[in-house]
Amino acid sequence: NIVVEKKNLLYLDKITEGNALSKFVVLAAIYILLLEKFKLGYNGTLKISNLPFEEKRQVPILFSLRLNDLGTIKELIVSVRNQVHQYLNNDNGSFDYGENDFNGDSQNSYPIFGVGNDVDSKLVTCSISMNYEAKSDGGLHVSLFFEKKRFRNFEISAFLKYFKTCLRNLEEIVEKNIDKLSIITKSDEKQILDVFNSTKISYPKSSTVVDLFEKQVKSTPDEIAVLYQEKQITYRELNDQANQFARYLQSAYGIEKGNLVCIKLDRNEYLMPVIYGILKCGAAYVPISTEYPKQRVDYILNDTKSKVIIDDVKLNTFINECSSFGKENLDVDFTSEDLCYVIYTSGTTGNPKGVMIPHHALINRLSWMQKAYPLTQEDILIQKTTYTFDVSVWEIFWWSLYGAKLLIPQVNVEKNPADLVQNILQNKVSVIHFVPSMLSVFLNHIKNNPNEKEALISLKQVFVSGEALKVSQRNLFYQELPEVSLMNLYGPTEATIDVSYYDCKVESEYDCIPIGKPIDNTSLYILDNQLNLLPVGATGRLFIGGVGVARGYINKAELTQQKFIANPFVENEKMYDTGDLACWLPDGNIDFKGRNDHQVKLRGFRIELGEIEHALLKLSDIDEVVVLVTQFNEKPVLVAYFVSTMMEEKTDLRAQLKLQLPEYMIPNFFIKIKSFPLTHNGKLDRKALPDIEVHFRDKQNFVAPESDLEKEVVSIWEEVLGIKGIGVSDNFFDLGGHSLLMTEIINRINKKLSYDIAVKEFISAPTVKSMIQHFKTSKHTAIPNSVSDFDEVII
């Protein structure tokens, strides 16, 4: 409750003619303004009680306001006043809102308005309301009602605090532009800048990754550095191989300081010598997936002007000639300001964009990680993240600066929980990373195979990042692995891997898993559209400052200037616009709220929907296209809606896109429509697009399972995909299938039916019919129930 006494209403009286209705208008305007600033919802309710109207009745007031159409706060007040008077002068007490759908939560709750820049034609009521009651002394009693299940106590408290602040400073702010109004107090600003962002600490900023690695080699030359299959490589051997590879690059291709060198290799024992060899030349490495289509590879090669791409052919040449190159450390003059790596991420213009990260930024990130979660010589990390994603960077380098060990597993081990468990057991892995969606697959495998928990006894530390971690995932983790530490990390490629951290052992009181607090020498800012600081509880745009911010995008000066802007809080520093929405929690942690643009994170992959749309529009038969992420069977999927006068066959689209895009960017569903539905203001009406539940497959081609084996496999598919009525000719990918669901199906078929099928074989045979045909041509081995998953089976 807010009691606005008469003595606090002097200025309010001056600008509102002093009567209760005018005061109500001003308070309603401030209420609407703060709902927009806090992003608590675009709609709310207002109700007037006991005000001196001629009708002597309670009056529900309906507003339809767009704050972006208004200038100053005074103009907002005038707009509210005009709507109130229009309402009171209307005989039937109603407005014509056209297609706007007003649905009150109860008889005492009235929807009122839509604000913001993107209000669809149908407004959804927000469960927040405000009542006003005139007091006999001329003051007003204001009551706010919030639905507890939708708002947290600290959000409500913050809202009330700043409501009062605006009233106290009304005379000062009334002439201000709505967009430029900063609602934060000086004390709260100090708390955010000086307390929440108190992260400055010394680190070896003048050192390169090579400097610290060679220092570690000198300290522990004969300790094991890398494990690959049956091989063990010491620090000395790794350094020798890296030096030889560096000299090979210099001799064969003239690689020197400042060059970018592309790598296109699957994981193998030479991955680390190749990467360190590139760095020892003073060059930076650029990872390219072996699964990228030729068009994408060619673009990256041209963009980087790489003199060579290190593939299997080039690597084998080196292996055959390595004995002719010296093993001594090189003397190349490069510094921590030089680039360490360039990783390409999805781009809005139809092509990926390369993010440039210098050595000192990575050194800061790794120094923080070692301080927060110190490694010892006994620790073994597993390098399971595809090296085209920035999480792989700390997997590749962290251990090598502090004397620990790295396990390089075989390709695709990370996609099969049973294989992963066996790798952890056999190599005593202590540190591992998961994307939350893959963590769920792993934990469910452990839950369904409790005997395998003993195999994870060496595991000490699990990191998760790449997408939002759910409370249910965190709870399942501690249910299955109560003795293991779980850390939630957050960060974009443009800020050197991760910028915040949260220890999930500490159960948050705010019904979420925060992305945590900033790491060393990093500042996080939550700002409005005019780059004003927002207080605790207000949702805004997340920006990143500090030493981890990338140099920018290679050969994209305009985009770099747009995304890496001057930091208004630190002189001569840039900050990065993440495109993410977030809010401060009272304890200094940050709650992630999603995206404010068309970029998405799906199963850990960062995807610009615009890049997929560009790729589809390049196809001659596609006229219009929109790609969205939506929920299907409670899982996020990519859906491409397209308009075409010719195209019908969905698999043709998928096959054609594979020539341009990596597998993870191929939509799960392709839905052809006659035209795109639009709202009254000409925008895409997303709610009117066809439901994928109806269009998920072509019913006319349904072929029912007949044999017992077909019925068993179909049953497994239906359980994993969450779809009933799957036919033996239905394509797995046309049913919304993706890599994680594929892994789950493979594991269940193996466990229940004792048939094996590899990932690549599944991809080439993505129907039940073709899968069973593969079973018939491969050897079927029934495994006795008494045999442990880790016992050797004698055939």
Side-chain angles (χ1 to χ4, degrees):
N1 289 337
I2 304 173
V3 178
V4 186
E5 303 292 351
K6 187 173 182 180
K7 63 182 180 180
N8 295 327
L9 289 174
L10 295 178
Y11 186 69
L12 202 56
D13 285 343
K14 187 164 70 173
I15 66 169
T16 62
E17 303 165 2
N19 65 56
L21 179 58
S22 295
K23 293 171 185 173
F24 159 75
V25 166
V26 174
L27 294 171
I30 299 301
Y31 167 70
I32 292 169
L33 175 71
L34 287 178
L35 275 183
E36 163 63 5
K37 287 286 185 181
F38 271 78
K39 303 292 183 191
L40 290 185
Y42 285 125
N43 304 281
T45 65
L46 290 176
K47 179 177 166 184
I48 307 173
S49 301
N50 302 325
L51 292 181
F53 302 139
E54 291 182 5
E55 293 91 342
K56 299 294 183 185
R57 61 182 175 89
Q58 292 185 351
V59 183
I61 303 295
L62 305 180
F63 294 96
S64 180
L65 297 178
R66 296 291 296 267
L67 293 194
N68 56 312
D69 293 334
L70 300 170
T72 65
I73 296 173
K74 181 182 284 187
E75 288 174 319
L76 171 62
I77 293 171
V78 170
S79 181
V80 172
R81 182 192 63 192
N82 290 342
Q83 290 220 30
V84 170
H85 283 288
Q86 178 188 355
Y87 183 85
L88 294 177
N89 293 330
N90 193 321
D91 291 338
N92 60 12
S94 67
F95 289 125
D96 179 13
Y97 285 96
E99 297 182 359
N100 287 349
D101 183 22
F102 293 105
N103 294 309
D105 291 336
S106 69
Q107 63 181 18
N108 295 320
S109 181
Y110 304 94
I112 54 161
F113 57 86
V115 298
N117 296 323
D118 269 314
V119 181
D120 290 333
S121 59
K122 294 186 181 297
L123 302 179
V124 180
T125 302
C126 179
S127 301
I128 175 172
S129 61
M130 181 175 283
N131 288 1
Y132 301 81
E133 183 177 356
K135 309 300 283 185
S136 58
D137 64 355
L140 292 174
H141 188 275
V142 183
S143 302
L144 291 93
F145 300 88
F146 295 82
E147 189 176 343
K148 276 196 170 184
K149 66 181 181 181
R150 296 190 62 177
F151 302 103
R152 296 170 289 190
N153 288 339
F154 76 89
E155 291 173 320
I156 299 170
S157 298
F159 186 91
L160 293 175
K161 174 182 177 179
Y162 287 96
F163 193 98
K164 295 174 183 177
T165 300
C166 285
L167 290 180
R168 293 192 197 100
N169 301 303
L170 189 59
E171 185 169 8
E172 177 187 339
I173 69 172
V174 73
E175 299 290 347
K176 286 193 174 182
N177 190 286
I178 291 172
D179 287 342
K180 295 180 180 179
L181 175 67
S182 177
I183 61 173
I184 196 168
T185 64
K186 291 294 183 183
S187 61
D188 288 341
E189 179 179 326
K190 183 175 177 60
Q191 181 188 39
I192 289 170
L193 294 179
D194 299 340
V195 180
F196 291 173
N197 278 306
S198 177
T199 63
K200 192 170 182 179
I201 193 170
S202 63
Y203 73 103
K205 61 182 177 181
S206 61
S207 298
T208 68
V209 174
V210 173
D211 292 334
L212 297 186
F213 169 62
E214 291 178 349
K215 181 180 178 181
Q216 185 61 47
V217 171
K218 189 175 181 180
S219 175
T220 57
D222 298 318
E223 294 295 329
I224 301 301
V226 175
L227 305 171
Y228 179 74
Q229 296 184 13
E230 302 302 319
K231 297 182 179 179
Q232 294 184 343
I233 302 168
T234 67
Y235 271 84
R236 177 188 284 114
E237 291 168 337
L238 173 57
N239 191 51
D240 289 348
Q241 290 175 355
N243 288 331
Q244 288 176 311
F245 189 74
R247 289 187 166 86
Y248 164 72
L249 290 176
Q250 291 175 329
S251 172
Y253 304 104
I255 302 301
E256 57 189 1
K257 172 184 173 180
N259 288 165
L260 302 180
V261 180
C262 293
I263 310 174
K264 187 184 176 188
L265 295 170
D266 285 324
R267 282 195 298 263
N268 61 54
E269 62 185 291
Y270 288 98
L271 181 63
M272 289 308 305
V274 165
I275 291 176
Y276 263 123
I278 292 170
L279 298 186
K280 283 170 175 278
C281 292
Y285 79 96
V286 184
I288 296 178
S289 172
T290 56
E291 297 179 357
Y292 279 177
K294 184 177 184 301
Q295 182 174 322
R296 196 176 187 87
V297 174
D298 290 344
Y299 176 84
I300 295 174
L301 284 174
N302 180 67
D303 200 38
T304 58
K305 296 179 175 57
S306 180
K307 296 178 181 179
V308 61
I309 180 169
I310 306 301
D311 56 15
D312 288 334
V313 174
K314 301 293 191 304
L315 181 58
N316 287 331
T317 300
F318 162 71
I319 293 171
N320 293 330
E321 300 176 1
C322 65
S323 60
S324 62
F325 297 102
K327 298 179 180 180
E328 302 79 15
N329 287 338
L330 286 77
D331 185 16
V332 179
D333 184 22
F334 64 97
T335 73
S336 64
E337 295 297 321
D338 288 306
L339 292 183
C340 180
Y341 64 90
V342 174
I343 284 183
Y344 277 78
T345 69
S346 184
T348 58
T349 60
N351 290 312
K353 52 186 184 289
V355 181
M356 301 182 287
I357 302 294
H359 280 263
H360 75 86
L362 179 58
I363 292 297
N364 178 72
R365 169 63 178 73
L366 298 179
S367 297
W368 163 80
M369 203 168 194
Q370 180 64 13
K371 185 186 75 173
Y373 316 106
L375 294 176
T376 70
Q377 290 185 10
E378 304 305 314
D379 281 308
I380 300 176
L381 283 75
I382 182 169
Q383 203 288 295
K384 72 179 196 63
T385 305
T386 304
Y387 72 165
T388 52
F389 299 99
D390 65 341
V391 167
S392 69
V393 176
W394 66 255
E395 289 181 339
I396 288 170
F397 291 110
W398 179 25
W399 61 275
S400 70
L401 308 188
Y402 301 102
K405 304 175 183 66
L406 180 70
L407 168 65
I408 300 181
Q410 290 180 289
V411 177
N412 291 326
V413 161
E414 72 278 4
K415 297 177 181 177
N416 191 317
D419 289 346
L420 197 54
V421 168
Q422 191 165 8
N423 268 262
I424 293 171
L425 172 68
Q426 292 175 345
N427 297 282
K428 298 181 180 179
V429 171
S430 58
V431 181
I432 194 170
H433 172 271
F434 286 100
V435 172
S437 50
M438 188 60 201
L439 177 66
S440 291
V441 174
F442 183 77
L443 292 174
N444 283 318
H445 174 80
I446 299 301
K447 183 178 180 180
N448 295 327
N449 300 273
N451 59 307
E452 295 190 8
K453 285 186 184 179
E454 294 181 8
L456 304 177
I457 193 169
S458 64
L459 200 58
K460 297 192 306 185
Q461 181 68 61
V462 174
F463 294 98
V464 289
S465 65
E467 61 189 18
L469 181 66
K470 300 175 183 176
V471 173
S472 59
Q473 292 169 324
R474 177 253 180 215
N475 293 343
L476 179 59
F477 179 90
Y478 284 113
Q479 173 186 315
E480 299 302 319
L481 302 172
E483 302 303 317
V484 182
S485 174
L486 179 65
M487 297 293 164
N488 189 31
L489 305 176
Y490 162 85
T493 305
E494 288 85 347
T496 317
I497 318 170
D498 301 304
V499 295
S500 67
Y501 66 105
Y502 181 75
D503 184 347
C504 295
K505 194 74 174 180
V506 181
E507 198 164 353
S508 174
E509 61 181 290
Y510 305 113
D511 193 31
C512 68
I513 304 295
I515 59 173
K517 300 179 180 181
I519 69 169
D520 291 348
N521 301 305
T522 300
S523 299
L524 301 179
Y525 309 104
I526 297 172
L527 311 177
D528 62 19
N529 290 335
Q530 284 66 47
L531 307 185
N532 296 306
L533 283 171
L534 287 173
V536 168
T539 296
R541 298 163 60 191
L542 181 59
F543 290 78
I544 302 169
V547 301
V549 174
R551 188 180 294 180
Y553 301 114
I554 186 170
N555 300 325
K556 286 182 169 56
E558 185 176 344
L559 183 60
T560 296
Q561 189 174 12
Q562 175 188 335
K563 297 292 288 183
F564 296 85
I565 63 175
N567 188 335
F569 312 105
V570 181
E571 193 173 356
N572 299 320
E573 183 181 280
K574 296 288 185 181
M575 66 179 185
Y576 172 68
D577 181 358
T578 67
D580 290 334
L581 297 174
C583 80
W584 286 108
L585 300 173
D587 61 4
N589 283 298
I590 289 177
D591 184 14
F592 176 77
K593 296 284 193 175
R595 297 287 302 174
N596 69 349
D597 58 16
H598 296 293
Q599 183 190 113
V600 298
K601 276 286 189 76
L602 199 62
R603 304 187 301 280
F605 298 108
R606 175 172 161 181
I607 300 170
E608 292 278 4
L609 300 180
E611 185 173 358
I612 305 174
E613 292 170 350
H614 274 280
L616 280 165
L617 288 171
K618 288 180 183 177
L619 307 181
S620 58
D621 294 330
I622 299 292
D623 301 318
E624 296 179 76
V625 65
V626 169
V627 178
L628 305 174
V629 171
T630 187
Q631 292 289 315
F632 180 65
N633 295 317
E634 300 181 351
K635 298 181 181 71
V637 293
L638 284 170
V639 184
Y641 294 93
F642 66 97
V643 175
S644 172
T645 54
M646 301 287 291
M647 182 70 66
E648 285 290 351
E649 185 58 50
K650 292 178 284 188
T651 53
D652 283 351
L653 285 177
R654 179 171 284 111
Q656 291 182 65
L657 278 185
K658 284 183 178 179
L659 300 176
Q660 302 183 57
L661 301 174
E663 184 71 36
Y664 65 86
M665 294 181 71
I666 308 298
N668 304 92
F669 297 96
F670 295 86
I671 299 178
K672 181 182 177 182
I673 56 180
K674 291 182 179 179
S675 62
F676 284 109
L678 303 176
T679 64
H680 67 281
N681 58 3
K683 294 185 177 182
L684 175 67
D685 189 350
R686 301 184 180 218
K687 295 179 182 177
L689 288 168
D691 188 348
I692 60 174
E693 293 282 350
V694 178
H695 291 265
F696 75 87
R697 61 181 172 85
D698 186 350
K699 294 286 186 183
Q700 293 180 341
N701 293 332
F702 175 76
V703 180
E706 295 181 353
S707 69
D708 290 342
L709 182 56
E710 285 180 342
K711 290 175 183 177
E712 289 272 18
V713 175
V714 164
S715 175
I716 291 172
W717 278 42
E718 288 179 345
E719 288 173 7
V720 174
L721 290 167
I723 300 172
K724 294 298 181 184
I726 291 178
V728 295
S729 296
D730 290 333
N731 189 296
F732 171 77
F733 298 104
D734 289 343
L735 300 174
H738 53 72
S739 58
L740 290 181
L741 298 179
M742 187 189 308
T743 299
E744 185 66 21
I745 287 175
I746 289 173
N747 290 336
R748 293 197 189 194
I749 286 175
N750 180 259
K751 184 176 178 63
K752 191 172 183 180
L753 305 177
S754 299
Y755 282 106
D756 287 318
I757 183 170
V759 171
K760 287 186 177 180
E761 292 164 346
F762 194 137
I763 292 173
S764 64
T767 68
V768 171
K769 192 178 186 69
S770 56
M771 177 180 280
I772 290 176
Q773 188 62 38
H774 169 80
F775 294 160
K776 291 177 179 178
T777 59
S778 62
K779 193 168 184 178
H780 174 199
T781 304
I783 301 177
N785 291 333
S786 60
V787 177
S788 162
D789 286 356
F790 302 110
D791 286 342
E792 184 178 359
V793 180
I794 306 300
I795 306 300

